[in-house]
Amino acid sequence: MQPVLIWPDPAPPDVVRVLDLSGIDWETVTDDADTRKGVWSAAIVNCEEQPATAYAMAAQLRRGDLSVGPVLLLVRGSQLGDLEDRHDAFDDFCVVPAHPAELEARVRHLLASEGGFELPPEVITYESLELNLETYQASIDGRPLDLTYMEYELLKFLAGNPGRVFTREVLLSRVWGYEYYGGARTVDVHVRRLRAKLGEQHAALIQTVRSVGYKFGESRWGS
């Protein structure tokens, strides 16, 4: 698969993180000359800081003489009105800040819409832990983990956000859902079971942050 083009340079950290975790190759470009140097499976244009220049870049990318796939715009909610007369300049847009899952889904949809692109499997990896999001299988050191649905969902959420500290209340709302009325002990019980299933060698991947909640591993992008 050809890389995804991102403008401007540097790329937004949130976008980089989503693409890296998804195994999607990307490169930034600064101008028309950079764009012409490659073939791009899709383009992401961030309109947050320089909207006028960004819209012009998007329109340029849609020209027929460039080897660029569909174009995704990143816009703030206050910029939605700007899109009204610019539908020819993009294929999809995403309001930022976006949930990582939404941004990933939109990028994957763009790539799939082009056809012929073999997308990497949706897998979360951290050291020897691997979570296949398509088959709901998990393994560590090559050893399959026998997880319940909620244990898998909790581990997926934590491993998808390494280094971030979450309170029990946030974990309840993000993993179990806003309509779940269980108490914080639910989180503690599932964490205890997960640690047991990860095994003594890997139990410390899920760390207790005293008086706050839990975090998984260390951030790949520094603190």
Side-chain angles (χ1 to χ4, degrees):
M1 185 177 70
Q2 303 298 334
V4 171
L5 176 155
I6 301 178
W7 184 93
D9 184 19
D14 290 347
V15 174
V16 169
R17 181 172 178 275
V18 166
L19 296 184
D20 283 348
L21 283 175
S22 303
I24 298 173
D25 190 20
W26 58 272
E27 293 181 22
T28 56
V29 300
T30 57
D31 52 30
D32 183 70
D34 284 347
T35 303
R36 293 180 180 279
K37 292 178 181 176
V39 178
W40 313 95
S41 58
I44 299 174
V45 178
N46 183 16
C47 303
E48 291 181 90
E49 303 300 330
Q50 307 172 56
T53 307
Y55 296 138
M57 171 58 80
Q60 179 178 312
L61 293 173
R62 292 293 297 270
R63 291 191 332 229
D65 61 332
L66 297 176
S67 300
V68 182
V71 176
L72 173 72
L73 297 186
L74 303 181
V75 298
R76 295 174 177 167
S78 59
Q79 295 174 308
L80 289 175
D82 297 345
L83 305 181
E84 187 65 28
D85 299 320
R86 294 186 168 91
H87 294 292
D88 291 340
F90 64 94
D91 297 275
D92 195 6
F93 67 91
C94 190
V95 176
V96 291
H99 190 284
E102 179 187 353
L103 180 58
E104 179 183 348
R106 291 185 180 278
V107 173
R108 285 182 173 277
H109 174 72
L110 283 184
L111 295 174
S113 68
E114 282 295 279
F117 293 111
E118 184 178 349
L119 294 177
E122 295 186 65
V123 176
I124 292 177
T125 59
Y126 186 93
E127 296 179 352
S128 59
L129 174 69
E130 183 171 296
L131 295 169
N132 189 314
L133 306 188
E134 297 175 349
T135 63
Y136 276 77
Q137 293 174 315
S139 65
I140 192 161
D141 286 337
R143 172 175 58 88
L145 296 175
D146 183 16
L147 305 179
T148 66
Y149 174 76
M150 291 312 304
E151 288 167 356
Y152 180 91
E153 288 295 310
L154 178 59
L155 184 59
K156 181 180 76 173
F157 181 78
L158 289 171
N161 298 277
R164 288 189 59 182
V165 179
F166 296 98
T167 66
R168 293 171 176 80
E169 290 73 20
V170 168
L171 290 172
L172 279 173
S173 66
R174 298 290 293 276
V175 178
W176 276 262
Y178 290 100
E179 296 182 356
Y180 183 78
Y181 294 103
R185 177 171 164 71
T186 299
V187 176
D188 296 333
V189 169
H190 280 72
V191 166
R192 185 169 66 247
R193 291 174 179 169
L194 276 176
R195 284 171 170 161
K197 292 184 178 181
L198 288 170
E200 184 177 353
Q201 182 180 354
H202 303 290
L205 281 174
I206 304 177
Q207 304 163 40
T208 301
V209 180
R210 191 173 182 179
S211 302
V212 182
Y214 296 100
K215 77 169 185 176
F216 181 94
E218 300 295 335
S219 172
R220 298 182 174 110
W221 290 269
S223 57

